[in-house]
Amino acid sequence: MNKRQLLRAISLAGAALCLACHAQAQDFPPKKPVTLVVGFAAGGAADAAARLIARKLGEDIGQTVIVENKAGAGGNIAHQQVANGPADGSMLLFGSIGPLTIAPHVMKVSYDPFKDLAAISGGVNFPNVLVVHKGLGVKTLAEFVALAKKKPGSVDFASTGAGSASHLAGELFNQRAGIDMVHVPYKGGAPALQDLLGERIASYFSAPPTALPHIEAGKLIPLATTGLTRPAYMPNIPTVAESGYPGFEALNWYAFVASGRTPVAILERWNQAIVRVLADPGVKEALNKHGLTPQPTTRAELTDFMKKEDAKWSAIVRDRKITAN
């Protein structure tokens, strides 16, 4: 092959590649219904947020967006499904903090969050609220810590499972406060809350929408929330950070990801569509009513955020010697 023929071959190959990329970009929205997978059962905070966003997303792109609940293993089953799923943009995941940045350090998972899944945009976040039953005899975080130090190993805390966001919030507080609360994992928020109300467990780092009705009814005592600022719907409850532990933050968050094999052009189009929906005043208002704060990001911002969360929680897992057992 002479030089002219070689240059022509390279030019044709480049043109073919451009056409292929252009065709992939044109396949947005996908020419079939879109599935938004949620790793938790219907009715919870993740499901409510996903359905609100999916409805508006479908309207905006002129395509059906179906929410599929794939509960099990703390959300890990859903994450594996999407990692192995179609890479044409027709399957998205409303991924969460546990499977994306905690579970890989606590248990063996069959996916790599940073290789088998691709970042699209942040979704929503919300803090936990540390609540105790009235029989414990404490009304402030300082009193709670004093009790835990006075009787080491006698104060326990519930979570929605080993490696969950509520579990790691408790372990982070153990570390920062220099106490040793005993972790008691449950299979979900409902049984954890039931045992707390029955005074069979001392405390629980609960999702605010779950605990709020019982706080308002006077059945549970809120000690602190785990974000850096007080949520608007709990203005009178201090944060852990302002209660003597500066910088303490343990947020629950959900983000949009897809199969790691999805073309970048399609991921970028999804980012634009999702960010637009999260900025919609009606969507923002609806999410806020559920105690959820929209968290739209660029793809790069989400990746950086996930890496920071991964480093933070892996350090806590090592320090506290946390396992899934």
Side-chain angles (χ1 to χ4, degrees):
M1 180 181 292
N2 59 36
K3 185 177 180 179
R4 180 177 293 177
Q5 289 173 320
L6 178 61
L7 290 173
R8 178 175 172 77
I10 292 173
S11 177
L12 289 172
L17 180 61
C18 286
L19 284 172
C21 292
H22 180 71
Q24 287 177 334
Q26 291 305 304
D27 285 341
F28 184 89
K31 296 176 181 177
K32 57 183 177 180
V34 175
T35 300
L36 177 57
V37 181
V38 179
F40 302 93
D47 178 67
R51 292 182 186 279
L52 281 169
I53 296 167
R55 187 178 306 114
K56 179 61 176 174
L57 196 58
E59 292 173 3
D60 279 11
I61 66 173
Q63 178 63 283
T64 303
V65 180
I66 302 167
V67 174
E68 177 185 339
N69 297 95
K70 194 75 174 180
N76 293 331
I77 292 175
H79 287 64
Q80 181 60 61
Q81 176 184 339
V82 175
N84 293 337
D88 58 0
S90 65
M91 179 176 283
L92 308 179
L93 172 67
F94 202 43
S96 58
I97 175 177
L100 290 176
T101 61
I102 298 174
H105 305 293
V106 176
M107 63 189 75
K108 185 177 181 180
V109 296
S110 52
Y111 60 90
D112 183 324
F114 294 96
K115 293 180 181 179
D116 300 323
L117 294 167
I120 297 177
S121 170
V124 299
N125 67 52
F126 60 94
N128 285 304
V129 56
L130 174 59
V131 286
V132 299
H133 62 74
K134 294 192 296 184
L136 197 63
V138 302
K139 293 184 178 180
T140 67
L141 191 63
E143 291 176 352
F144 180 77
V145 171
L147 177 64
K149 288 184 174 180
K150 183 179 180 181
K151 299 179 179 180
S154 66
V155 175
D156 47 22
F157 75 98
S159 83
T160 54
S164 65
S166 54
H167 177 196
L168 270 290
E171 296 293 358
L172 178 61
F173 189 63
N174 266 336
Q175 183 194 61
R176 291 293 304 276
I179 58 177
D180 192 24
M181 294 184 293
V182 177
H183 174 229
V184 182
Y186 287 80
K187 292 184 178 180
L193 192 65
Q194 184 177 20
D195 271 9
L196 180 64
L197 289 166
E199 300 190 2
R200 291 180 287 275
I201 197 83
S203 62
Y204 175 35
F205 285 84
S206 173
T210 304
L212 196 54
H214 304 287
I215 293 172
E216 292 174 342
K219 296 179 180 179
L220 295 176
I221 298 173
L223 302 183
T225 55
T226 62
L228 290 177
T229 59
R230 300 185 185 191
Y233 48 87
M234 288 184 165
N236 298 320
I237 302 173
T239 66
V240 175
E242 68 182 285
S243 301
Y245 306 93
F248 183 99
E249 183 179 38
L251 292 177
N252 291 278
W253 52 264
Y254 295 89
F256 291 90
V257 297
S259 166
R261 295 171 284 108
T262 307
V264 171
I266 292 178
L267 294 172
E268 291 291 352
R269 293 292 298 276
W270 270 124
N271 173 268
Q272 295 167 18
I274 290 168
V275 167
R276 187 165 56 247
V277 166
L278 291 174
D280 180 84
V283 171
K284 290 171 69 174
E285 182 181 2
L287 290 172
N288 288 334
K289 286 181 179 179
H290 285 272
L292 306 169
T293 301
Q295 188 184 20
T297 67
T298 65
R299 295 186 58 238
E301 286 170 343
L302 175 57
T303 299
D304 288 345
F305 173 76
M306 285 173 55
K307 286 180 178 178
K308 289 177 182 177
E309 287 283 282
D310 184 79
K312 173 182 177 177
W313 296 119
S314 65
I316 296 297
V317 168
R318 289 193 303 271
D319 181 69
R320 299 295 301 172
K321 297 180 175 59
I322 301 170
T323 66
N325 298 325

